[in-house]
Amino acid sequence: SENRLYCTTDHGVVCRVDLQTGLVARFAGSGGLRGPAEDGMRATDAPLAPHGLAVARDGALLLCDGVHFVVWRIDAARGILERTAGNGSVGAAEGIGDGGPARRASLLANHVATDALGTVFVDDKGTDYHRVRRVDPESSQIETIALDNGQRLVPGKLATSAALQEQPAMSVDGQFYARSGHQVLGWTLEDPVMRVVAGSGSEVDS
């Protein structure tokens, strides 16, 4: 997968670029937005609205679909859709499905990331909530690990009690970063307490 580059087009298509040969091929998306997209379907036949993309440890592509409200997993060799998370609807904040199977959860996935262990992280921005959610690679259960509850990010507090006013940065080693005013805060899954990693917290006139 290190010799492949994935990119989206304005027509709902994901292209795969072979960095060794320079050849470009359509990898996913039919180019339209009408019609069903289902498990077991060829990715090139499916109408998709790709948002975030990420490459899993086995080379599969993870894709946030803004039309069907799911995160798809597409095997790099077979090119077949497999639903990783999302039940096809955007639910209210109280009924999004935390603690259960990721495939039964309501979500509106904007961005996706994955780590070396296969954990999937989803930036989920629904109609009345905004949170980062984690899909366990063994149980396939989903949980919220950071959320927007209307409060501002505060150093020293847990990420699950913090507001996410914009998309956080997520690294492959499980590190998260988010901006709060004139500071950047960071936390990890193992240590979910937010700490200042950059910025004094006050605006300085130049």
Side-chain angles (χ1 to χ4, degrees), residues 56-90:
R57 58 179 177 175
D58 61 356
L61 181 71
L62 297 172
L63 180 152
C64 299
D65 184 353
V67 168
H68 301 95
F69 307 124
V70 301
V71 176
W72 297 110
R73 179 186 184 277
I74 307 173
D75 182 87
R78 298 186 301 120
I80 301 298
L81 291 183
E82 178 183 352
R83 191 157 43 97
T84 292
N87 63 13
S89 67
V90 181

Side-chain angles (χ1 to χ4, degrees), residues 2-191:
E2 64 274 7
N3 293 321
R4 296 170 180 167
L5 174 68
Y6 294 93
C7 58
T8 62
T9 73
D10 294 334
H11 304 289
V13 170
V14 177
C15 293
R16 182 168 65 183
V17 182
D18 188 312
L19 298 179
Q20 290 184 325
T21 65
L23 296 178
V24 180
R26 182 162 58 95
F27 181 73
S30 64
L33 297 179
R34 295 184 179 181
E38 302 171 345
D39 281 307
M41 189 176 189
R42 289 186 60 84
T44 51
D45 295 334
L48 303 173
H51 287 192
L53 304 176
V55 178
R57 58 179 177 175
D58 61 356
L61 181 71
L62 297 172
L63 180 152
C64 299
D65 184 353
V67 168
H68 301 95
F69 307 124
V70 301
V71 176
W72 297 110
R73 179 186 184 277
I74 307 173
D75 182 87
R78 298 186 301 120
I80 301 298
L81 291 183
E82 178 183 352
R83 191 157 43 97
T84 292
N87 63 13
S89 67
V90 181
E94 294 78 15
I96 60 175
D98 274 344
R103 293 165 60 96
R104 297 182 183 176
S106 298
L107 55 79
L108 179 55
N110 288 314
H111 302 278
V112 64
T114 183
D115 63 17
L117 299 177
T119 308
V120 175
F121 301 97
V122 181
D123 177 45
D124 177 14
K125 191 170 185 179
T127 55
D128 62 347
Y129 62 88
H130 187 185
R131 59 188 65 213
V132 175
R133 305 175 76 182
R134 173 184 181 273
V135 180
D136 185 89
E138 295 183 1
S139 68
S140 296
Q141 288 195 331
I142 194 168
E143 63 177 340
T144 292
I145 59 173
L147 61 87
D148 182 349
N149 65 354
Q151 303 294 319
R152 187 170 180 172
L153 292 170
V154 178
K157 287 192 174 182
L158 294 174
T160 49
S161 66
L164 293 172
Q165 298 172 340
E166 58 188 62
Q167 177 200 351
M170 299 178 283
S171 67
V172 296
D173 58 357
Q175 183 79 39
F176 296 83
Y177 300 96
R179 183 175 65 85
S180 177
H182 302 289
Q183 291 180 315
V184 176
L185 304 182
W187 69 93
T188 67
L189 289 178
E190 292 76 18
D191 184 10

Side-chain angles (χ1 to χ4, degrees), residues 182 200 202-206:
H182 302 289
S200 64
S202 61
E203 186 174 1
V204 179
D205 295 331
S206 57

